[in-house]
């Protein structure tokens, strides 16, 4: 850990810029909060709480060797994939915010139908893999190369749902 751990009260791990959390297999009990830029998350963690971005300038590079079991609440911030990322059933990346895929793959969970209800920007999303049907109820904006691999699952659009392609 290169960051701060506050064991009083809420047990929070804070990555405040150029911080990192490398986790061995097992449970991370503490909440994880991200602010500042160039933070890193690595290893095989399990989280008890969502990963919370505190502001729109926060960034986190992710290189997990296990699937992610809690939401990432971007609050306008950005993640950068350094490895492929698999989301457990029911887990989402909650926007608004940006997912920089860097040529990596993201596999969404296997819920019967999962609903994504916040705006996300996807940069170079060459491989978004659906493992179940997805209901999109906000805007996903793609820049660079973008591919959604449906695997025979259904992509549906709610009243506000749309895909936007930018140059």
């Amino acid at each position: 850990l290169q960051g701060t751990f506050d064991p009083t009260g809420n047990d929070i791990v804070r990555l405040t810029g150029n911080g990192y959390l490398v986790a061995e297999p097992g449970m991370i009990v503490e909440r994880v909060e991200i602010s500042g830029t160039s933070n890193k998350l690595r290893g095989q963690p399990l989280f008890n709480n969502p990963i919370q971005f505190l502001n729109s300038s926060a960034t986190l590079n992710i290189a997990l060797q296990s699937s992610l079991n809690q939401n990432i609440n971007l609050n306008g911030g950005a993640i950068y994939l350094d490895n492929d990322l698999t989301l457990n059933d029911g887990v989402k990346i909650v926007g608004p915010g940006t997912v920089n895929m860097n040529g990596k793959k993201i596999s969404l969970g296997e819920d019967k139908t999962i609903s994504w209800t916040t705006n996300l920007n996807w940069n170079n999303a060459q491989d978004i893999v659906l493992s179940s049907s997805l209901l999109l109820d906000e805007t996903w904006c793609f820049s660079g190369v973008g591919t959604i691999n449906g695997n025979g699952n259904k992509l549906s659009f709610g009243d506000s749902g749309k895909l936007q392609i930018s140059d």
Side-chain angles (χ1 to χ4, degrees):
L1 171 68
Q2 166 111 12
T4 59
F5 172 63
D6 181 359
T8 60
N10 293 326
D11 291 345
I12 301 171
V13 171
R14 290 187 178 99
L15 302 180
T16 59
N18 295 309
Y20 60 86
L21 174 60
V22 179
E24 296 296 323
M27 186 65 67
I28 301 292
V29 177
E30 300 78 22
R31 287 189 357 226
V32 177
E33 293 181 345
I34 309 297
S35 62
T37 61
S38 300
N39 296 293
K40 295 177 178 21
L41 175 61
R42 308 229 182 285
Q44 300 176 8
L46 293 173
F47 297 97
N48 277 340
N49 296 290
I51 298 168
Q52 187 70 34
F53 281 54
L54 298 182
N55 54 53
S56 61
S57 62
T59 67
L60 179 67
N61 287 61
I62 300 176
L64 297 180
Q65 287 79 48
S66 59
S67 59
L68 183 64
N69 71 316
Q70 288 287 338
N71 289 352
I72 298 176
N73 297 324
L74 290 175
N75 288 324
I79 61 173
Y80 294 81
L81 299 186
D82 290 339
N83 281 358
D84 293 345
L85 179 64
T86 300
L87 304 180
N88 278 6
D89 296 351
V91 173
K92 302 179 210 173
I93 299 170
V94 179
T98 302
V99 179
N100 297 286
M101 293 192 45
N102 299 325
K104 307 300 183 210
K105 174 173 71 173
I106 186 166
S107 299
L108 308 185
E110 296 182 6
D111 288 339
K112 299 244 186 244
T113 298
I114 189 166
S115 181
W116 287 58
T117 58
T118 59
N119 294 326
L120 285 174
N121 297 311
W122 298 90
N123 292 333
N124 295 312
Q126 295 173 359
D127 200 4
I128 299 174
V129 178
L130 303 184
S131 301
S132 65
S133 295
L134 184 138
L135 173 64
L136 183 59
D137 215 3
E138 276 302 330
T139 301
W140 280 7
C141 182
F142 289 84
S143 63
V145 175
T147 303
I148 298 174
N149 179 351
N151 285 323
N153 294 295
K154 186 165 105 176
L155 173 61
S156 303
F157 296 91
D159 293 338
S160 300
K162 63 182 173 181
L163 298 177
Q164 181 178 337
I165 309 302
S166 65
D167 293 335

